[in-house]
Amino acid sequence: AQTIHQWPVAEIKAVGSPLSLGCTIKGKSSPNLYWYWQATGGTLQQLFYSITVGQVESVVQLNLSASRPKDDQFILSTEKLLLSHSGFYLCAWDRGREQYFGPGTRLTVL
Amino acid sequence: GMPVEQNPPALSLYEGADSGLRCNFSTTMKSVQWFQQNHRGRLITLFYLAQGTKENGRLKSTFNSKERYSTLHIKDAQLEDSGTYFCAAETSSFSKLVFGQGTSLSVVP
């Protein structure tokens, strides 16, 4: 069975500080991976997707970047956080056309 | 307009009641997924539909790509059904899911 993990569970960071969020999936080779962002009380917005190691496509620009260093790993990062980066970040993978989501990371930027 | 319009934004039901949620699409979508988001933020997949109707216990969902809508029907609502429900439609872009604005459901005794 496939399992998807995200780390950390939650972060409180200062404006201007760097950020790195991780996602890893076990039990599936060469998965398509996705990053989503959800503002508090809002809907989900797809940020990035990756179909293979080293390749990442941006869907929405939010002054964030993503990388796929390993087949089972997807990283979301920025060198300088903004207040608007606060929210809930979810990683997802797909099986066919159906997407499954990780538990998410809650980010608070102060 | 919005590619996915979800209604109602909020809904309050008594235990045992039935109700429905609806998503309208501005364009033809390939498929739709329905999710329940719990209080911890976890997205639980309820349905995936490329067409037609599916049922699972007290939940039933329909997707009509030609008429550009999908519905989620909840029967005999229970307290644990409370949460936020999202529909998400697959566009023609590579696996791009566009989410509706969500329906905040509150089931009360």
Side-chain angles (χ1 to χ4, degrees):
Chain A
Q2 297 85 8
T3 57
I4 184 167
H5 303 278
Q6 288 188 241
W7 71 92
V9 172
E11 278 256 55
I12 299 176
K13 302 276 280 186
V15 169
S17 63
L19 173 77
S20 183
L21 303 181
C23 168
T24 190
I25 177 164
K26 299 300 181 187
K28 175 145 176 75
S29 62
S30 304
N32 295 328
L33 295 174
Y34 306 85
W35 276 112
Y36 287 81
W37 171 74
Q38 184 181 27
T40 301
T43 190
L44 284 85
Q45 193 168 30
Q46 195 177 93
L47 300 177
F48 299 95
Y49 69 87
S50 172
I51 61 174
T52 192
V53 173
Q55 184 196 42
V56 175
E57 299 295 332
S58 172
V59 178
V60 171
Q61 287 289 342
L62 282 181
N63 293 305
L64 295 166
S65 60
S67 64
R68 180 93 176 257
K70 298 180 186 178
D71 187 53
D72 63 351
Q73 203 172 80
F74 205 17
I75 306 296
L76 185 70
S77 61
T78 183
E79 291 188 1
K80 278 189 176 182
L81 278 165
L82 307 172
L83 284 174
S84 57
H85 286 137
S86 290
F88 195 52
Y89 290 84
L90 293 115
C91 181
W93 64 282
D94 68 30
R95 182 170 64 201
R97 285 149 58 184
E98 189 174 355
Q99 292 192 19
Y100 297 88
F101 287 78
T105 295
R106 197 163 297 280
L107 174 66
T108 303
V109 183
L110 302 174
Chain B
M2 303 273 288
V4 180
E5 278 193 19
Q6 184 174 343
N7 285 292
L11 183 60
S12 186
L13 297 175
Y14 285 111
E15 270 185 297
D18 302 346
S19 192
L21 315 178
R22 184 178 175 107
C23 284
N24 292 321
F25 311 121
S26 62
T27 186
T28 302
M29 299 295 186
K30 290 180 170 179
S31 66
V32 69
Q33 288 184 244
W34 283 92
F35 300 93
Q36 180 194 25
Q37 189 170 38
N38 64 20
H39 67 281
R40 292 186 178 182
R42 188 77 192 230
L43 273 177
I44 300 160
T45 300
L46 299 176
F47 293 103
Y48 167 83
L49 298 106
Q51 63 177 10
T53 298
K54 286 187 178 179
E55 248 180 289
N56 184 4
R58 297 180 292 102
L59 300 179
K60 180 178 175 181
S61 182
T62 295
F63 173 50
N64 187 321
S65 59
K66 188 177 177 183
E67 300 294 323
R68 301 181 185 178
Y69 75 88
S70 179
T71 60
L72 175 69
H73 192 258
I74 301 172
K75 187 177 175 182
D76 184 25
Q78 301 296 305
L79 296 176
E80 61 265 28
D81 294 333
S82 294
T84 304
Y85 290 76
F86 289 97
C87 67
E90 181 191 2
T91 70
S92 56
S93 302
F94 175 81
S95 279
K96 179 151 189 246
L97 275 190
V98 179
F99 279 74
Q101 295 303 304
T103 296
S104 177
L105 173 65
S106 177
V107 181
V108 297

